[in-house]
Amino acid sequence: MQPKRNAARRNLRKGLDLIFVHNPVLITGLALAPVIMGGFTVKNGMGLSLVFAMVTIPVLVLSSFLGMLPEKIPQYVRTIACAVLAALMLIPARLLAGGIAPNLFDSLGMYFSMMALNTVWLVCAPSCQKKKPQWALWDGVCHSLGFFVCTLLISLVREFLAYGTFWGGATALPVKFPPAAYAFGGFIIVGSAAAALRWGIDRAQDIGRLVRRQQKKWRMGR
Amino acid sequence: MPQYEPKAPYVRSRDSAFTMMADMIIAMLPLYFMAFYFYGSRALLLGLASVAAAVISDLACILLEGKTPYFRDISAVVTGMLLPLMMSAATPYYVVVSASVFAIVFVKHVFGGVGQCAFNPAAAGFAFAVSCWPAQVFAYPAPFSAPGAFGSAAEGLSSGPAWNLFQGGVPTNDILDLLLGKFLGPMGLTNIVVLVTCLFYLLFRGAVSWQAPATFFAVMVLAVFLFPRIPETGPMSLVYEATTGMWVFGGIFLLGEPGTLPKRSSSRLLYGALAALFTVLFQRFGQVEQTFAFALLLTNVFGFTLDRGSERLLRRLRRVYIATKTKRSEKKSAQRA
Amino acid sequence: MNSLISIFTLLLTALVLQNAVFSRALDVTALLAIPFEKKSLRLFGLILTGVSTIASLLAGLLNPLMGQWKNVQYLRPVLYIILLAALYGIACLVLDWKKRDWLRDHTALLIAAFFNCAAYGAMALTVYSSYNWLESAASGMGVGLSFLLAVFLLEQGKRCMSICNIPKSFRGLPAELVYVGLISLSLYGLIGHQLAA
């Protein structure tokens, strides 16, 4: 019973790490293209996160089920099945995205559909074949959360800098930096965000180490 | 901070980074004087604002990285002084300040600080300002119009002869005015006489190596002379392009930046030629009035490669040379025997 | 002759002005994040060029057939991705038959090269710019070649950055992103920011 519980705890922990410590976009560098080119307003960022979740979660679960098939079936057939499911998931995603903003599909252009080929599921699907469906689901949810958090923050900053607005509403920013919405601004802002996240994680780990050392000392003293 | 480790005889070299930077600053003072003469105190205040922003952001970055500040490093001052010279004298203060903060934070310190820049900070800062606010950077006040020192000075601005050239037309300015710098243009780089004097000063002091500017100016002058982009004769095209373009200023002050310049003299020659090639191409096909800064950024990518390439080439040549030499000496000894 | 010139212009435009990486940010992940070796990154670029050429050629042939449907723009991406999957399947079948060992060693590379936003982007661009089949193939090839150009430029950058004393939190991916951003800024002088789609 104990090893099983430990494995579950490890899986839970691994999934939660995907939100910050192993963030799929900022730390691992997956699915960068839509964030750089599409994520320049909060609405776009929300739309991208929605499509990401709609595509990644089912595909990872499917690949976990595909892992149960006999080994005779070659690997590429499973990849093709995943890709077809990802493409089909674009249709409900497009219907739901209309709820966020009616013109979201047009304003994101080809970057909306590009989420179906995001590198997250391409990289994680093979490893998910060895996982149980519930843990593949948990992986997908955590990947989506990590993507959502970072895309939301980046698109918020970019919309604020480029247009001086927040969710389309005006704010009191006196100077606007239009390149924040261009490709090169996207590269630089995403790069800086990645550096900032790394810096934050390093500091958090430093603090954690310090606390643990103090705890140890305290225990020894007692 | 000396750029190289002191070697065995421990003779103090005159050319430390500090003296080089100080020479750059001294060379820029006449440009600021001309800007003050044409546009009044706003020119100086823009320079001050830019330098202050650059120095403060430099200090902040150094402290954030956990290094100790080094007060003989004045490269931030140079970057800060270069930026406003390339812009209009009526540029709002926030443009200059954000350009220099961008140059220092995202171009200089991301790649490791002084002497290790992958890109030229001043050129990148200017390119950033152009991409953000092209209307403000390229709208010039008339000389002697004295734009207000504080606040915005957005009245009575218009585009200069560089815009005419960009549109494929011939500027209507008087030639003497063009040569003296009395026309609508960036505040620091209209007077070509002062610029050329600065070049000779820097070359004489050894603050700028001669190789890169030599090939750069040679290729630029040839290209502008032989293939004018306006319906004019070669010499006139040269006068118009040289007086109104940013490339003369850039070739003097930006191209020779020691952090991005290749280290071997042969590759410096190639580097200058490459920069000129990109500048001409960007002028022809670009969407911006002053393209030198953008072309220089692209050239910076190849600096390190040129060093490696010329190193390899020279090594191969040396091998061939040694091989032929030994063959010849063997022949001679065989003949003697 | 005219069509040759127009195709050459298309290739050049795709290579420099609308570079897949620097102005559209396609496939930055393969360029920066996936730990390919230098040689396999070039191989990846070559395969990508082939895939994007064939895929956009097929897209260019399919586009006139799909023109009459209602709501076609919502179904088109699905069809394109299924097309890419079919291409991948054919390539794998052929390789499985002829060169099984090579296929086993390069599975990840092949997946990344076929299910790839640059290949998809090349297909999507044929619609936005309403190219005919020949122009589509040329633009697809341009996308692949422009990725190879970006690989070359970034190799120089990586060499340069390897001797720089980059701050710890910027080392690796962030500094490379900023580097690509600054190259993209330099190309801004050439194109401004107007881009189709």
Side-chain angles (χ1 to χ4, degrees):
Chain A
M1 201 62 204
Q2 192 64 24
K4 210 173 180 183
R5 198 181 289 164
N6 276 348
R9 203 179 285 164
R10 210 181 314 128
N11 276 335
L12 264 178
R13 181 82 192 272
K14 257 188 193 170
L16 285 177
D17 273 356
L18 285 172
I19 298 172
F20 286 109
V21 183
H22 295 150
N23 188 291
V25 179
L26 292 180
I27 303 293
T28 327
L30 303 171
L32 281 168
V35 181
I36 289 169
M37 287 305 286
F40 55 84
T41 61
V42 178
K43 277 180 192 170
N44 280 3
M46 294 282 277
L48 285 176
S49 311
L50 177 80
V51 193
F52 183 91
M54 297 269 309
V55 168
T56 310
I57 298 173
V59 169
L60 289 187
V61 174
L62 174 73
S63 83
S64 153
F65 279 118
L66 288 175
M68 298 172 189
L69 293 178
E71 273 193 28
K72 225 188 247 173
I73 298 172
Q75 189 64 37
Y76 56 82
V77 175
R78 305 172 200 216
T79 313
I80 291 171
C82 288
V84 171
L85 179 68
L88 291 176
M89 285 311 286
L90 280 178
I91 298 168
R94 137 98 193 102
L95 292 177
L96 276 181
I100 295 178
N103 59 347
L104 194 67
F105 182 78
D106 299 317
S107 77
L108 277 171
M110 62 185 183
Y111 295 95
F112 184 93
S113 322
M114 214 171 267
M115 291 309 291
L117 293 178
N118 70 62
T119 25
V120 172
W121 77 253
L122 286 172
V123 169
C124 297
S127 67
C128 275
Q129 289 184 3
K130 291 164 201 145
K131 284 180 186 165
K132 283 183 183 164
Q134 67 267 33
W135 292 121
L137 179 74
W138 175 239
D139 241 31
V141 170
C142 288
H143 268 124
S144 307
L145 266 177
F147 185 89
F148 173 71
V149 168
C150 96
T151 312
L152 196 71
L153 283 178
I154 288 171
S155 56
L156 207 133
V157 169
R158 286 178 75 179
E159 183 179 342
F160 186 63
L161 287 178
Y163 308 110
T165 55
F166 173 73
W167 195 268
T171 55
L173 185 73
V175 181
K176 295 183 182 80
F177 299 82
Y182 305 165
F184 82 83
F187 278 117
I188 293 175
I189 290 173
V190 172
S192 316
L197 182 59
R198 280 184 189 195
W199 189 84
I201 291 168
D202 278 356
R203 293 295 85 76
Q205 281 173 349
D206 283 353
I207 292 170
R209 223 170 286 143
L210 207 78
V211 168
R212 248 171 279 141
R213 203 181 298 155
Q214 283 300 324
Q215 271 178 349
K216 210 174 176 185
K217 262 187 195 170
W218 185 60
R219 260 181 230 147
M220 299 267 276
R222 205 168 55 167
Chain B
M1 183 166 47
Q3 285 215 315
Y4 32 77
E5 293 288 323
K7 294 260 169 64
Y10 298 111
V11 180
R12 262 185 82 102
S13 169
R14 191 188 61 82
D15 286 338
S16 66
F18 179 76
T19 53
M20 275 167 73
M21 296 295 170
D23 279 337
M24 294 283 271
I25 291 175
I26 292 169
M28 268 183 278
L29 289 179
L31 296 176
Y32 269 99
F33 178 76
M34 288 306 293
F36 176 68
Y37 172 69
F38 282 136
Y39 303 108
S41 51
R42 189 180 173 98
L44 297 186
L45 284 173
L46 277 174
L48 267 181
S50 167
V51 169
V55 169
I56 291 170
S57 51
D58 193 50
L59 201 66
C61 284
I62 289 175
L63 291 178
L64 253 178
E65 284 168 37
K67 297 177 189 164
T68 38
Y70 182 75
F71 290 102
R72 278 174 75 85
D73 166 30
I74 49 171
S75 57
V77 179
V78 175
T79 308
M81 278 178 84
L82 281 169
L83 272 168
L85 287 177
M86 296 184 267
M87 299 179 194
S88 146
T91 317
Y93 284 97
Y94 62 79
V95 173
V96 177
V97 168
S98 38
S100 61
V101 169
F102 177 85
I104 295 293
V105 176
F106 289 106
V107 187
K108 188 175 163 194
H109 278 284
V110 164
F111 297 109
V114 196
Q116 298 184 335
C117 317
F119 294 94
N120 187 317
F126 178 73
F128 173 72
V130 170
S131 66
C132 282
W133 308 283
Q136 276 91 329
V137 174
F138 291 137
Y140 306 114
F144 305 115
S145 65
F150 297 101
S152 76
E155 282 166 21
L157 306 182
S158 53
S159 55
W163 173 255
N164 292 353
L165 283 173
F166 172 59
Q167 294 290 325
V170 182
T172 50
N173 300 55
D174 189 37
I175 297 292
L176 193 68
D177 280 353
L178 281 178
L179 289 174
L180 289 177
K182 217 174 83 182
F183 61 91
L184 298 169
M187 71 183 216
L189 41 106
T190 54
N191 195 316
I192 192 158
V193 183
V194 180
L195 280 175
V196 173
T197 321
C198 289
L199 175 63
F200 281 114
Y201 171 77
L202 289 173
L203 286 177
F204 175 71
R205 291 282 298 170
V208 164
S209 66
W210 63 271
Q211 292 98 340
T215 46
F216 175 74
F217 284 118
V219 175
M220 273 315 286
V221 166
L222 266 180
V224 168
F225 193 86
L226 295 179
F227 310 104
R229 58 174 168 159
I230 47 169
E232 268 290 354
T233 56
M236 287 311 289
S237 153
L238 179 60
V239 169
Y240 286 133
E241 297 278 4
T243 48
T244 61
M246 210 180 93
W247 53 272
V248 179
F249 176 85
I252 297 167
F253 286 99
L254 302 182
L255 192 68
E257 205 258 348
T260 51
L261 197 66
K263 306 296 176 279
R264 301 182 73 91
S265 40
S266 53
S267 43
R268 281 180 186 175
L269 289 170
L270 281 174
Y271 182 78
L274 195 68
L277 183 74
F278 281 144
T279 311
V280 171
L281 286 178
F282 274 49
Q283 263 183 358
R284 291 302 158 89
F285 304 108
Q287 301 287 326
V288 181
E289 188 180 318
Q290 299 281 14
T291 47
F292 175 79
F294 296 97
L296 183 64
L297 283 182
L298 197 56
T299 319
N300 285 158
V301 178
F302 296 98
F304 199 73
T305 319
L306 285 178
D307 252 352
R308 267 178 48 130
S310 73
E311 169 95 36
R312 268 189 201 168
L313 188 75
L314 286 178
R315 204 185 294 150
R316 200 162 289 173
L317 284 179
R318 217 174 291 142
R319 250 179 232 162
V320 171
Y321 174 70
I322 290 170
T324 50
K325 215 177 165 185
T326 47
K327 253 185 199 170
R328 213 177 284 162
S329 62
E330 274 170 12
K331 245 185 198 173
K332 264 185 188 173
S333 56
Q335 277 174 359
R336 255 180 232 159
Chain C
M1 191 63 205
N2 265 343
S3 63
L4 257 181
I5 291 175
S6 73
I7 281 170
F8 183 71
T9 343
L10 248 173
L11 266 178
L12 212 66
T13 317
L15 207 59
V16 183
L17 298 184
Q18 308 191 352
N19 188 296
V21 174
F22 299 126
S23 37
R24 294 189 197 279
L26 299 177
D27 231 1
V28 198
T29 300
L31 191 64
L32 303 178
I34 299 181
F36 284 134
E37 284 166 21
K38 205 162 108 186
K39 265 190 186 160
S40 51
L41 190 58
R42 283 181 196 164
L43 178 69
F44 173 82
L46 285 175
I47 297 175
L48 171 64
T49 312
V51 171
S52 64
T53 311
I54 296 171
S56 41
L57 172 69
L58 291 179
L61 288 172
L62 273 179
N63 284 337
L65 304 179
M66 285 191 289
Q68 289 86 17
W69 294 357
K70 206 183 162 195
N71 284 339
V72 71
Q73 73 264 37
Y74 306 126
L75 285 176
R76 204 181 271 132
V78 181
L79 205 68
Y80 283 169
I81 292 168
I82 291 174
L83 199 65
L84 278 178
L87 278 178
Y88 173 73
I90 292 167
C92 280
L93 268 179
V94 172
L95 284 170
D96 202 15
W97 177 39
K98 288 277 181 194
K99 282 191 170 182
R100 188 164 283 180
D101 293 343
W102 193 91
L103 176 65
R104 203 180 45 225
D105 294 343
H106 295 81
T107 311
L109 189 143
L110 270 183
I111 291 179
F114 275 85
F115 298 107
N116 178 298
C117 44
Y120 174 76
M123 294 167 98
L125 282 177
T126 60
V127 183
Y128 288 116
S129 318
S130 54
Y131 291 142
N132 63 23
W133 64 272
L134 198 61
E135 288 167 332
S136 306
S139 77
M141 197 171 185
V143 166
L145 290 179
S146 68
F147 179 79
L148 279 172
L149 179 77
V151 169
F152 169 72
L153 286 184
L154 205 79
E155 265 173 27
Q156 319 308 324
K158 275 182 183 165
R159 262 187 218 134
C160 176
M161 281 187 278
S162 65
I163 57 163
C164 284
N165 183 20
I166 297 175
K168 196 185 162 211
S169 42
F170 267 101
R171 232 164 270 167
L173 177 75
E176 280 164 18
L177 274 172
V178 175
Y179 194 92
V180 173
L182 286 171
I183 297 178
S184 169
L185 169 63
S186 85
L187 289 178
Y188 176 90
L190 217 50
I191 44 174
H193 67 278
Q194 62 276 40
L195 271 181

